[in-house]
Amino acid sequence: MGLFDFFGGSGPEKALKLKPKVTQKYGDPSTRQKAIQQLGEMKYPEAVSVLLSRFTLTVEPLTTDADEKEHVFELIKGFDQDAIAPIQEFLRKSDHATSWALRLLGDLLPEPAVIGICVDTLTHLSSHYTRDPEKKVVLLHHVMGKEDPRIPTAVLPFLEDMSDDVKIAALKVLGPLKYEAAREPILKLLTSEETARRVQTAALAALQESGFNVQGFREKLEPLLVEPYLLDKSGVVVKRQA
């Protein structure tokens, strides 16, 4: 322990005390930038947590904002594996800057580990109310197109989310996965009177990609078909040939 650590000059407490400066939106930017640099030179998890808070605000001019965020990104990467736990905590607790957190994890961890964190976070979000749907959408977009058995069970609950954007993102994830347990929930969402038209269109696309039969829902579904979708003789949604 150094002399400054002993007197509380550069320990975890010092890192936490720098947060107001790091998140200072107005005033002299050099104050914020100096605090960022100080945090980058510390080796405490608390320093990573405070640095992450910089991603939650936008400052003017936007060129300065972008430069600072890239600098913060590189500083956090410098913590290497010590940054993982603070990033995970940030991802779970903050409704902002999800894409930055995922980008950092992508540079620090192998893809299966990142998918695992996304799945854990989505599972947590599916049982907790959040006012802003952006975080869910960003996480869903991140797992889109990925082949991992953990994904469909974590995504399925979002077909019942209050946000149409979240429902559409979930449908785009589930369609190509051909997850049998999603067949009926997708069909119920599509045929519900409360479902918005753009969500219905996304549900048709998901059914077409999945190849699921519409048995039990054909009568309700047929009036909802729009170009280029139609039902074939076997009761599967297909795209009309051009």
Side-chain angles (χ1 to χ4, degrees):
M1 179 179 287
L3 181 64
F4 287 106
D5 292 319
F6 184 80
F7 287 108
S10 61
E13 296 81 8
K14 172 64 173 178
L16 295 172
K17 287 179 180 178
L18 286 172
K19 185 172 182 178
K21 293 183 178 179
V22 171
T23 55
Q24 177 183 300
K25 190 166 183 175
Y26 304 104
D28 187 353
S30 65
T31 301
R32 185 175 60 246
Q33 291 160 6
K34 181 181 178 182
I36 289 170
Q37 190 59 43
Q38 284 180 283
L39 287 161
E41 293 168 2
M42 296 179 185
K43 294 303 171 189
Y44 303 99
E46 290 83 1
V48 177
S49 299
V50 177
L51 284 169
L52 285 163
S53 68
R54 175 60 185 85
F55 294 129
T56 65
L57 71 148
T58 301
V59 302
E60 298 289 346
L62 293 181
T63 51
T64 297
D65 185 69
D67 288 345
E68 283 186 20
K69 284 176 177 173
E70 286 296 337
H71 183 46
V72 169
F73 180 87
E74 292 301 325
L75 289 175
I76 293 174
K77 276 178 61 178
F79 285 80
D80 197 39
Q81 298 305 297
D82 290 337
I84 302 301
I87 295 170
Q88 281 186 264
E89 183 181 15
F90 176 81
L91 189 59
R92 179 176 286 253
K93 292 184 176 180
S94 175
D95 286 337
H96 305 286
T98 304
S99 58
W100 282 102
L102 291 175
R103 185 180 158 196
L104 280 162
L105 290 172
D107 277 11
L108 294 169
L109 291 171
E111 182 65 17
V114 181
I115 293 297
I117 292 171
C118 286
V119 165
D120 289 345
T121 308
L122 285 167
T123 301
H124 174 77
L125 286 172
S126 68
S127 59
H128 292 77
Y129 172 76
T130 51
R131 184 178 58 83
D132 189 349
E134 182 183 359
K135 180 177 180 178
K136 298 175 185 176
V137 172
V138 172
L139 285 162
L140 289 167
H141 282 169
H142 190 82
V143 300
M144 198 177 295
K146 306 288 196 311
E147 294 285 344
D148 189 299
R150 298 170 292 179
I151 292 173
T153 52
V155 172
L156 188 58
F158 293 98
L159 293 181
E160 299 180 5
D161 196 85
M162 293 179 65
S163 165
D164 286 348
D165 288 338
V166 173
K167 290 174 186 170
I168 290 170
L171 286 164
K172 288 181 177 178
V173 174
L174 290 168
L177 294 178
K178 307 181 191 302
Y179 180 54
E180 181 62 34
R183 186 191 84 90
E184 191 166 323
I186 293 174
L187 285 163
K188 284 183 176 179
L189 177 61
L190 170 60
T191 56
S192 170
E193 293 181 358
E194 298 177 357
T195 300
R197 192 60 184 163
R198 65 192 185 101
V199 178
Q200 290 178 331
T201 302
L204 286 170
L207 287 170
Q208 183 267 320
E209 287 187 282
S210 67
F212 291 146
N213 192 287
V214 302
Q215 183 178 3
F217 291 84
R218 184 168 193 142
E219 188 176 337
K220 289 183 177 181
L221 185 146
E222 283 184 328
L224 302 173
L225 289 167
V226 293
E227 290 291 344
Y229 302 106
L230 64 143
L231 278 179
D232 68 8
K233 292 180 180 179
S234 63
V236 173
V237 176
V238 296
K239 274 188 176 181
R240 191 185 304 277
Q241 296 296 321

